[in-house]
Amino acid sequence: MISDRERAAFEAGIKLGALYHQWVGTPVSRESAGSLEHAIENAHIQQPYVTEISVDLDREAMVPNSFGYSELAGLMLDVEMTVRVNQATCHVSLSREGEYPMMRIEWIDEDSEVSSS
Amino acid sequence: MISDRERAAFEAGIKLGALYHQWVGTPVSRESAGSLEHAIENAHIQQPYVTEISVDLDREAMVPNSFGYSELAGLMLDVEMTVRVNQATCHVSLSREGEYPMMRIEWIDEDSEVSSS
Amino acid sequence: MISDRERAAFEAGIKLGALYHQWVGTPVSRESAGSLEHAIENAHIQQPYVTEISVDLDREAMVPNSFGYSELAGLMLDVEMTVRVNQATCHVSLSREGEYPMMRIEWIDEDSEVSSS
Amino acid sequence: MISDRERAAFEAGIKLGALYHQWVGTPVSRESAGSLEHAIENAHIQQPYVTEISVDLDREAMVPNSFGYSELAGLMLDVEMTVRVNQATCHVSLSREGEYPMMRIEWIDEDSEVSSS
């Protein structure tokens, strides 16, 4: 048996992995960062079970190359995402931890219904 | 509290999402499919917690374009993967379900230790 | 010797190839298409030698999957781009031609300077 | 009028741009680098007009993260590629130049046929 909590954790993982590998490599600069943040949020909020997402790109880390722009790197991503499967809600994050872009489950919650079912 | 089973499900999700969005779009044909399968397996077996992975690409779905090749599409992917976090093992799959590339938890297992801890 | 026209053609090719493989696979729907168009334009206008870019996504081709969204496919992309290297300007396009996302040089122009230099 | 040399330069650019943005982000280590090199070569040799390709990944640059692997970065790529359009042959490269992954036309050659056709 797979619980709702486990399914929510699985679905949240799918979305973080997808986001990371879809967007890394995109040309980006401090000027275009805002537009890219919105595009990432608008893309992934549509995926199944995602109820909230916020994306912050670290502008400090966008060191311009000799042509004046950077490429989106995993370490620039700060993402918070909430996924809901049936009664279970899973909140996850992607953020820099030293030199690793760490993905974490922040919490999982389950509706505690006083129900007769 | 997050259980090992939940963490295993999360880690498995990350890897399936990553794999999908990393490789979709790669030029591929029936001739190069084998080489691509190995490269995908070799890439993702290195990721944290992955213990087994097998990738089958659907050669029937590789309809050559006017230049004689295709692009890897999500519906061509048949993936089985096993992830282990502490005592919990999670086995997941990605395979075509109608027109959707469905990711599923096949099973989660936990070592049932007769332990006094 | 490589001419400015040849270099402009090369640079334009790089950008179309990059754009295609960076963005294909992104979750998209008719609602999010506008945000994605802007993000693509804002990303690639920053790349060296690009002077103009316009991106149109074919909303008709965005047939929702069972979860209500699509994935950006090469055949949805209609791109016009202008690249300038020294005196040469190269205008290229990416658009659907039957079942192939065709990239073409539309024209190359070179400043005909009446100059004593 | 677009010359064969210009078209060859354009097609070569497309392939380098595509290669870069398709593969950057792939999990890789010194152990899996060989398998990835072959997969990249096998994928892109299939694309229109490509006649030769060789891919070398810089193993020195693959500094393992805390989980023992790296991600393919643009600066790890050393690519040589030959593209032929009609009578014109264009040889291009992608290699590290300081902190920038530089793409260059190395030479373009055109068959000088003493022909009566």
Side-chain angles (χ1 to χ4, degrees):
Chain A
M1 266 295 293
I2 313 294
S3 71
D4 286 348
R5 290 172 57 104
E6 290 155 1
R7 288 194 56 213
F10 177 63
E11 294 293 336
I14 292 172
K15 273 67 178 187
L16 282 188
L19 186 156
Y20 187 96
H21 285 266
Q22 181 61 52
W23 301 89
V24 163
T26 305
V28 70
S29 67
R30 288 161 197 175
E31 288 68 42
S32 71
S35 153
L36 187 56
E37 287 168 344
H38 286 121
I40 299 175
E41 292 170 348
N42 288 338
H44 292 281
I45 192 71
Q46 307 176 93
Q47 291 195 291
Y49 311 112
V50 179
T51 59
E52 279 185 281
I53 178 171
S54 88
V55 175
D56 271 292
L57 302 181
D58 180 359
R59 284 147 178 84
E60 292 306 303
M62 294 176 190
V63 181
N65 60 30
S66 45
F67 293 101
Y69 67 102
S70 311
E71 257 177 40
L72 187 67
L75 294 175
M76 294 176 188
L77 284 161
D78 195 313
V79 179
E80 299 272 330
M81 189 189 289
T82 309
V83 163
R84 185 175 177 90
V85 175
N86 297 325
Q87 309 304 322
T89 303
C90 178
H91 188 78
V92 296
S93 65
L94 160 58
S95 64
R96 180 174 191 151
E97 199 172 291
E99 291 304 305
Y100 196 78
M102 185 62 79
M103 301 182 189
R104 287 188 178 287
I105 302 178
E106 298 293 338
W107 48 260
I108 308 179
D109 205 15
E110 207 165 0
D111 295 358
S112 53
E113 292 177 285
V114 182
S115 122
S116 58
S117 64
Chain B
M1 266 294 293
I2 313 295
S3 72
D4 287 348
R5 290 172 56 104
E6 289 156 1
R7 287 193 56 212
F10 178 62
E11 294 293 337
I14 291 172
K15 274 67 178 187
L16 282 188
L19 185 157
Y20 188 95
H21 284 267
Q22 181 60 52
W23 301 89
V24 163
T26 305
V28 70
S29 66
R30 289 162 196 175
E31 288 69 41
S32 71
S35 155
L36 187 55
E37 287 167 343
H38 286 120
I40 299 175
E41 292 170 348
N42 288 339
H44 292 281
I45 193 70
Q46 306 177 92
Q47 291 194 292
Y49 311 112
V50 179
T51 58
E52 278 185 283
I53 178 171
S54 88
V55 175
D56 270 292
L57 302 181
D58 180 358
R59 285 147 177 82
E60 293 304 304
M62 295 175 188
V63 181
N65 60 30
S66 45
F67 293 101
Y69 68 103
S70 311
E71 257 176 39
L72 188 66
L75 294 175
M76 293 175 189
L77 285 162
D78 195 313
V79 179
E80 300 272 330
M81 188 189 289
T82 309
V83 162
R84 185 176 176 90
V85 175
N86 297 326
Q87 309 303 324
T89 303
C90 178
H91 187 78
V92 295
S93 65
L94 159 57
S95 64
R96 179 174 193 150
E97 198 171 293
E99 291 304 306
Y100 196 78
M102 184 62 78
M103 301 181 189
R104 287 186 178 288
I105 302 177
E106 297 293 338
W107 49 260
I108 307 179
D109 206 16
E110 208 167 358
D111 296 358
S112 52
E113 292 177 285
V114 182
S115 124
S116 57
S117 62
Chain C
M1 267 293 294
I2 313 295
S3 71
D4 286 349
R5 291 171 57 103
E6 290 156 2
R7 287 193 58 212
F10 178 62
E11 294 293 337
I14 291 171
K15 274 66 176 187
L16 282 188
L19 186 156
Y20 188 96
H21 285 268
Q22 181 60 52
W23 301 89
V24 162
T26 305
V28 69
S29 66
R30 289 162 196 175
E31 288 69 41
S32 70
S35 155
L36 187 56
E37 287 168 343
H38 287 120
I40 299 176
E41 292 170 347
N42 288 339
H44 293 281
I45 193 69
Q46 307 178 92
Q47 291 195 292
Y49 312 112
V50 179
T51 59
E52 278 185 282
I53 179 172
S54 90
V55 175
D56 271 292
L57 303 180
D58 180 358
R59 286 146 176 84
E60 292 305 303
M62 294 175 189
V63 181
N65 60 30
S66 45
F67 293 102
Y69 68 103
S70 310
E71 256 176 41
L72 188 66
L75 294 174
M76 294 175 189
L77 285 162
D78 196 312
V79 179
E80 300 272 331
M81 188 188 288
T82 309
V83 162
R84 186 176 176 90
V85 174
N86 299 325
Q87 309 304 323
T89 304
C90 178
H91 188 78
V92 296
S93 66
L94 159 57
S95 64
R96 179 175 193 150
E97 199 171 291
E99 290 305 305
Y100 196 78
M102 184 62 78
M103 301 182 189
R104 288 186 177 288
I105 301 178
E106 297 293 338
W107 48 260
I108 307 179
D109 206 15
E110 208 166 359
D111 296 358
S112 51
E113 291 176 287
V114 182
S115 125
S116 57
S117 61
Chain D
M1 266 293 295
I2 312 295
S3 71
D4 285 348
R5 289 172 58 103
E6 290 155 2
R7 287 193 57 212
F10 178 62
E11 293 293 337
I14 292 172
K15 273 67 177 188
L16 282 188
L19 185 156
Y20 188 94
H21 285 267
Q22 181 60 51
W23 301 89
V24 162
T26 305
V28 70
S29 66
R30 289 162 196 175
E31 289 68 42
S32 72
S35 153
L36 187 55
E37 287 168 343
H38 286 120
I40 299 175
E41 292 170 347
N42 288 338
H44 293 281
I45 193 69
Q46 306 177 92
Q47 290 194 293
Y49 312 112
V50 180
T51 59
E52 278 186 281
I53 178 171
S54 89
V55 176
D56 270 293
L57 302 180
D58 180 359
R59 284 147 178 84
E60 292 306 304
M62 294 175 189
V63 182
N65 60 30
S66 45
F67 293 101
Y69 68 103
S70 311
E71 257 178 39
L72 188 67
L75 294 175
M76 294 175 189
L77 284 162
D78 195 313
V79 178
E80 299 273 330
M81 188 189 291
T82 309
V83 162
R84 185 177 177 89
V85 174
N86 297 324
Q87 308 304 323
T89 304
C90 178
H91 188 77
V92 296
S93 65
L94 159 57
S95 63
R96 180 174 192 150
E97 200 171 290
E99 291 304 306
Y100 195 77
M102 185 61 79
M103 302 181 189
R104 288 187 178 288
I105 302 179
E106 297 293 338
W107 49 260
I108 308 180
D109 205 16
E110 208 165 358
D111 297 357
S112 53
E113 291 178 286
V114 182
S115 126
S116 57
S117 63

